[in-house]
Amino acid sequence: NAGVTQTPKFRVLKTGQSMTLLCAQDMNHEYMYWYRQDPGMGLRLIHYSVGEGTTAKGEVPDGYNVSRLKKQNFLLGLESAAPSQTSVYFCASSYSKGADTQYFGPGTRLTVL
Amino acid sequence: TQLLEQSPQFLSIQEGENLTVYCNSSSVFSSLQWYRQEPGEGPVLLVTVVTGGEVKKLKRLTFQFGDARKDSSLHITAAQTGDTGLYLCAGDGSSNTGKLIFGQGTTLQVKP
């Protein structure tokens, strides 16, 4: 099992460009999450999904959109990238909510110039 | 807004020393987790505590959940260089939604 994988691992964008980050999990988990990690700020939840076809806003959703068309995939989109979106993005998945373990991918390092 | 404050934010110690990392909040959490993250990788779960006053041990690591479920601590005995990394606490709000609130992290450096 690959667990949680993220594509791409690194990306550099210019302000105003768009891109999609792909997260895939092979553990048949219902719940999936997108976080961003910035120095000294821990991880902050962007959007999450409680099942195929569902999405919901997290703590910092502005400037991002998501889709969960298939249970195993969770896509994070940036329609018009801004320098403030320079960050490391982590995807995670879990079988259920609450005290259940969240399994994280290796991260995508995004730089917006 | 629920917040988790970790302290200290950075800790540099010699191998063999003991240390404690704190995770505090004014809010109640239904559960609290501790993760460890190495450079270039995603966080990995160390432990989950769900009951007020609960103590869990993982080899040289001892985790405690406060009686009021508002705070937690991680104690490492006789630290080793392999303990070096970023330690994150994360709480699931009292509504038990699965949306984790993370502390800002504690960077631990253990020198040989």
Side-chain angles (χ1 to χ4, degrees):
Chain A
N1 289 349
V4 179
T5 58
Q6 293 183 231
T7 309
K9 299 197 79 169
F10 302 93
R11 186 72 187 268
V12 178
L13 290 178
K14 294 181 179 178
T15 297
Q17 288 185 320
S18 63
M19 77 164 294
T20 301
L21 282 67
L22 171 63
C23 175
Q25 53 94 6
D26 62 2
M27 296 175 281
N28 200 35
H29 285 168
E30 289 293 336
Y31 290 69
M32 296 188 75
Y33 315 84
W34 275 107
Y35 295 91
R36 60 177 289 173
Q37 185 174 37
D38 302 293
M41 300 188 73
L43 282 85
R44 291 180 292 170
L45 183 65
I46 304 171
H47 286 280
Y48 66 104
S49 169
V50 301
E52 181 179 315
T54 74
T55 62
K57 294 180 179 180
E59 185 185 352
V60 288
D62 293 344
Y64 305 95
N65 56 75
V66 288
S67 64
R68 183 102 182 264
L69 299 179
K70 293 183 179 181
K71 185 176 184 178
Q72 63 268 33
N73 295 336
F74 196 27
L75 279 63
L76 178 70
L78 286 73
E79 288 189 351
S80 180
S84 61
Q85 294 177 304
T86 293
S87 188
V88 182
Y89 292 85
F90 287 98
C91 175
S93 71
S94 64
Y95 181 71
S96 65
K97 62 181 181 181
D100 201 12
T101 302
Q102 290 194 13
Y103 294 86
F104 285 81
T108 295
R109 184 173 294 276
L110 174 65
T111 301
V112 183
L113 302 175
Chain B
T1 303
Q2 293 176 301
L3 292 174
L4 278 169
E5 296 283 340
Q6 279 187 245
S7 62
Q9 290 196 35
F10 184 79
L11 197 53
S12 180
I13 60 172
Q14 295 294 134
E15 198 169 29
E17 292 183 1
N18 301 333
L19 67 116
T20 302
V21 177
Y22 299 94
C23 179
N24 296 305
S25 177
S26 59
S27 304
V28 174
F29 289 93
S30 56
S31 66
L32 204 137
Q33 300 178 328
W34 285 92
Y35 288 81
R36 179 165 167 260
Q37 184 179 16
E38 302 209 27
E41 299 181 7
V44 176
L45 181 71
L46 294 173
V47 77
T48 300
V49 285
V50 297
T51 305
E54 183 176 4
V55 177
K56 281 193 174 179
K57 292 192 175 184
L58 187 66
K59 296 185 180 177
R60 294 174 294 100
L61 279 62
T62 302
F63 304 86
Q64 186 162 6
F65 201 13
D67 291 340
R69 291 186 288 130
K70 292 183 179 181
D71 56 86
S72 180
S73 64
L74 157 61
H75 182 79
I76 300 179
T77 303
Q80 299 177 356
T81 55
D83 296 326
T84 293
L86 177 67
Y87 289 82
L88 295 155
C89 65
D92 181 29
S94 56
S95 58
N96 196 24
T97 60
K99 292 161 56 178
L100 292 180
I101 306 296
F102 279 84
Q104 69 269 55
T106 295
T107 299
L108 172 64
Q109 180 186 57
V110 182
K111 295 178 285 188

